[in-house]
Amino acid sequence: YSEEKREDDQTNAEKQKNEEELFEEQVQSAPALPYKQARGYIVKKNYEVPASQYIKLESKADFDKVFIKASTIGWKGETTNIDWNKQYVIAVLQPAVEQFVSIAPTYATKQGEEIYIRYAELEGEEMTREYHPSMLLLVDKEYNGNINIKKRNS
């Protein structure tokens, strides 16, 4: 392990810490972003989760490429209605796993053209089949902006 490598690691760690602090400052100083969490949808089995692990969906056609109603696999709860004329969806997605994972927003704010969302994950019991953990936030189109999402550190 070289001295240069150690210095690079320290520089990268400091840069990441600075980015994290800046994100927190932006989020804490901005007004809350109104949203509603959507329920009753699951990620299609063969959907390829993007590297960013989040997507913005602005039409039913785009949404239907990623999600299906959970009732197709026996879910008995109510499915949240999405009004595509007034709302868009911010979806946080994870690669397929065989363990229950709950993803929930810890806060969402908007400052200027920037939307900041922080979320947490809670791991649960093993499951008998794979699925993609996801979180769907419905946001009114009047609150459109560039999306910045980070997972909360434990």
Side-chain angles (χ1 to χ4, degrees):
Y1 200 72
S2 71
E3 190 63 36
E4 283 181 11
K5 178 72 172 139
R6 184 171 292 126
E7 287 175 12
D8 286 346
D9 288 350
Q10 284 178 325
T11 302
N12 288 337
E14 288 172 10
K15 182 179 177 187
Q16 185 174 358
K17 182 180 176 190
N18 289 340
E19 288 174 1
E20 197 66 29
E21 288 172 356
L22 180 61
F23 185 90
E24 288 301 320
E25 287 173 17
Q26 295 290 347
V27 168
Q28 292 175 8
S29 66
L33 173 74
Y35 66 86
K36 179 180 179 182
Q37 223 174 326
R39 306 257 185 242
Y41 298 97
I42 59 171
V43 178
K44 289 183 174 180
K45 188 175 183 174
N46 296 322
Y47 180 73
E48 187 77 27
V49 173
S52 66
Q53 296 188 337
Y54 74 88
I55 53 176
K56 181 178 181 181
L57 301 162
E58 300 183 87
S59 72
K60 182 170 179 5
D62 288 342
F63 185 85
D64 289 345
K65 291 175 187 174
V66 182
F67 294 96
I68 59 172
K69 287 186 177 184
S71 59
T72 61
I73 60 159
W75 189 70
K76 303 279 188 240
E78 193 171 314
T79 302
T80 305
N81 184 45
I82 302 169
D83 184 345
W84 292 104
N85 293 319
K86 297 178 182 176
Q87 299 171 310
Y88 66 94
V89 173
I90 299 172
V92 175
L93 311 167
Q94 299 296 326
V97 293
E98 289 184 3
Q99 180 178 16
F100 179 78
V101 178
S102 175
I103 304 173
T106 54
Y107 50 76
T109 61
K110 183 168 191 296
Q111 185 167 0
E113 291 300 310
E114 302 301 315
I115 292 172
Y116 298 94
I117 297 171
R118 173 77 77 184
Y119 68 93
E121 291 181 5
L122 179 62
E123 294 181 354
E125 299 194 12
E126 294 291 321
M127 298 178 64
T128 57
R129 60 185 169 82
E130 279 191 342
Y131 86 111
H132 292 276
S134 62
M135 172 183 76
L136 302 174
L137 302 182
L138 304 181
V139 181
D140 287 347
K141 288 186 176 181
E142 68 184 274
Y143 298 103
N144 210 349
N146 303 313
I147 300 170
N148 301 277
I149 296 181
K150 287 194 181 270
K151 179 180 171 184
R152 186 182 76 190
N153 295 332
S154 302

